[in-house]
């Protein structure tokens, strides 16, 4: 995986002004575009599309400062059809327009090339098991919310707190298969998992395929497949988020599995009354690498 990600970075540099064929690269490396993008965003701290945009604007800034041609020719050279589109992308990265930077020489916010290196870690074993599950369904109350990497997501918190106590009790009674209990489900996450991108969050439970679901509940169909289940305990949600990050930095590079498309599921096994600490299980859909 480390070699695959570094090859991806090299490909970005080789085709910086062109459309990037991530799917073709993933196939040639024996993995999937979905897994490659998710691993990149988890390890680099930014989505692949954001990294490409920053690198393009870093190289473009040098052309702007050197005064090599008019702004339209620079825009076209770097893959933009108009000075307006180029200017928006340029300002988003550098915080100033190309014209201002050409006149003043800055400000510039350069994005260095990312390099992935293998470090010896893993001194703390990860409590993991692989589970083979038949198809099941997730039923509950869904909402579209922005993706937030760190800390409590206020949009999810607002969604859950807006549900009456009766709704939680009703869901608990509906649960009849693993993962058991009330679940926190994230679905339709973009492969890049960019900060602020939207996902479907479902507060619900797992039910078997033949269990009737009330019409007023949302449902997610989950096909049969394998799951990597990670147990985590400690400050919430920090311990859970740290474990999610560790799956990318430690577990996936060390094990013959990769992510497959599907929802990620968090089951709360135990928690403090104020939710400051919790013991959880993180369920991630996987397939052999």
């Amino acid at each position: 995986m480390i070699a695959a990600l570094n090859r991806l970075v090299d490909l970005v540099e080789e085709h910086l002004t062109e459309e990037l064929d991530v799917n073709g690269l993933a196939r040639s490396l024996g993995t999937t575009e979905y897994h490659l993008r998710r691993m990149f965003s988890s390890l680099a701290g930014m989505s692949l599309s954001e990294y490409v945009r920053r690198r393009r604007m870093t190289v473009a800034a040098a052309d702007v400062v050197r005064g090599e041609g008019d702004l339209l020719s620079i825009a076209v050279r770097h893959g933009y059809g108009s000075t307006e589109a180029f200017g928006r992308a340029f300002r988003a990265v550098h915080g100033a327009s190309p014209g201002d930077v050409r006149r003043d020489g800055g400000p510039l916010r350069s994005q260095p090339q990312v390099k992935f290196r293998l470090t010896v870690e893993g001194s703390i074993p990860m409590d993991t098991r692989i589970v083979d599950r038949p198809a099941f369904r997730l039923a509950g109350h869904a909402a579209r919310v922005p993706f937030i990497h760190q800390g409590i997501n206020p949009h999810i918190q607002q969604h859950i707190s807006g549900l009456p106590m009766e709704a939680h009790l009703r869901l608990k009674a509906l649960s009849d298969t693993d993962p058991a209990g009330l679940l926190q489900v994230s679905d339709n996450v973009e492969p890049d998992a960019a900060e602020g991108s939207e996902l479907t969050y479902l507060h619900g439970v797992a039910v078997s395929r033949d269990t009737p679901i009330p019409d007023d509940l949302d449902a997610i169909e989950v096909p049969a497949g394998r799951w990597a289940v990670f147990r985590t305990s400690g400050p919430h949600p920090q311990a859970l988020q740290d474990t999610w990050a560790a799956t990318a930095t430690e577990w996936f590079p060390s094990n013959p599995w990769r992510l497959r498309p599907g929802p990620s599921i968090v089951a709360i096994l135990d928690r403090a009354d104020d939710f400051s600490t919790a013991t959880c299980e993180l369920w991630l859909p996987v397939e052999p690498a």
Side-chain angles (χ1 to χ4, degrees):
M1 181 48 58
I2 298 298
L5 289 171
N6 282 324
R7 180 67 190 109
L8 176 59
V9 171
D10 291 341
L11 191 70
V12 169
E13 294 302 312
E14 293 168 10
H15 303 278
L16 202 55
T17 62
E18 306 166 22
E19 192 69 28
L20 194 61
D21 184 13
V22 183
N23 188 41
L25 175 66
R27 287 199 308 270
S28 71
L29 296 171
T31 186
T32 65
E33 179 178 358
Y34 182 87
H35 184 71
L36 202 59
R37 284 183 179 273
R38 291 300 298 271
M39 290 299 98
F40 185 97
S41 62
S42 296
L43 296 177
M46 72 184 92
S47 67
L48 176 61
S49 56
E50 175 64 15
Y51 173 71
V52 171
R53 184 166 67 94
R54 292 184 187 182
R55 282 296 300 149
R56 280 178 177 169
M57 290 302 103
T58 295
V59 175
D63 290 348
V64 170
V65 171
R66 286 195 297 260
E68 296 184 355
D70 57 63
L71 293 180
L72 178 58
S73 64
I74 294 174
V76 172
R77 189 184 312 152
H78 291 279
Y80 292 86
S82 68
T83 55
E84 290 78 11
F86 176 71
R88 287 193 297 271
F90 193 94
R91 182 181 289 276
V93 172
H94 298 293
S97 70
D100 291 340
V101 167
R102 170 163 284 185
R103 183 186 66 243
D104 302 329
L108 295 174
R109 298 171 185 162
S110 297
Q111 171 63 57
Q113 287 189 46
V114 167
K115 293 295 181 185
F116 296 95
R117 293 183 175 86
L118 181 64
T119 59
V120 179
E121 296 179 345
S123 58
I124 301 176
M126 297 186 72
D127 186 355
T128 315
R129 71 184 194 276
I130 302 296
V131 178
D132 198 353
R133 294 282 290 115
F136 62 96
R137 292 187 290 175
L138 296 161
H141 301 275
R144 293 290 287 173
V145 300
F147 190 94
I148 295 177
H149 284 276
Q150 295 292 328
I152 294 173
N153 189 319
H155 306 277
I156 292 177
Q157 195 175 39
Q158 182 180 11
H159 174 61
I160 296 174
S161 63
L163 298 173
M165 181 57 66
E166 294 76 15
H168 303 288
L169 298 175
R170 180 190 183 206
L171 287 174
K172 284 183 178 180
L174 189 63
S175 173
D176 65 1
T177 190
D178 288 333
L182 287 174
L183 307 173
Q184 302 172 356
V185 180
S186 297
D187 195 24
N188 296 321
V189 181
E190 294 180 5
D192 277 343
E195 184 87 8
S197 61
E198 282 200 334
L199 60 90
T200 298
Y201 176 83
L202 182 133
H203 178 74
V205 294
V207 299
S208 55
R209 291 194 69 183
D210 56 356
T211 298
I213 296 178
D215 292 338
D216 61 337
L217 294 181
D218 300 298
I220 297 173
E221 299 289 337
V222 183
R226 290 192 176 101
W227 299 76
V229 184
F230 303 87
R231 191 182 180 97
T232 178
S233 185
H236 189 76
Q238 180 182 340
L240 178 62
Q241 291 170 338
D242 289 347
T243 297
W244 223 127
T247 65
T249 58
E250 298 180 32
W251 195 82
F252 280 110
S254 306
N255 290 273
W257 300 95
R258 66 188 179 201
L259 284 170
R260 59 181 172 86
S264 61
I265 303 171
V266 175
I268 307 296
L269 305 182
D270 190 26
R271 67 178 180 87
D273 291 339
D274 61 357
F275 230 134
S276 58
T277 61
T279 298
C280 308
E281 281 188 343
L282 171 63
W283 290 59
L284 300 180
V286 296
E287 61 187 6

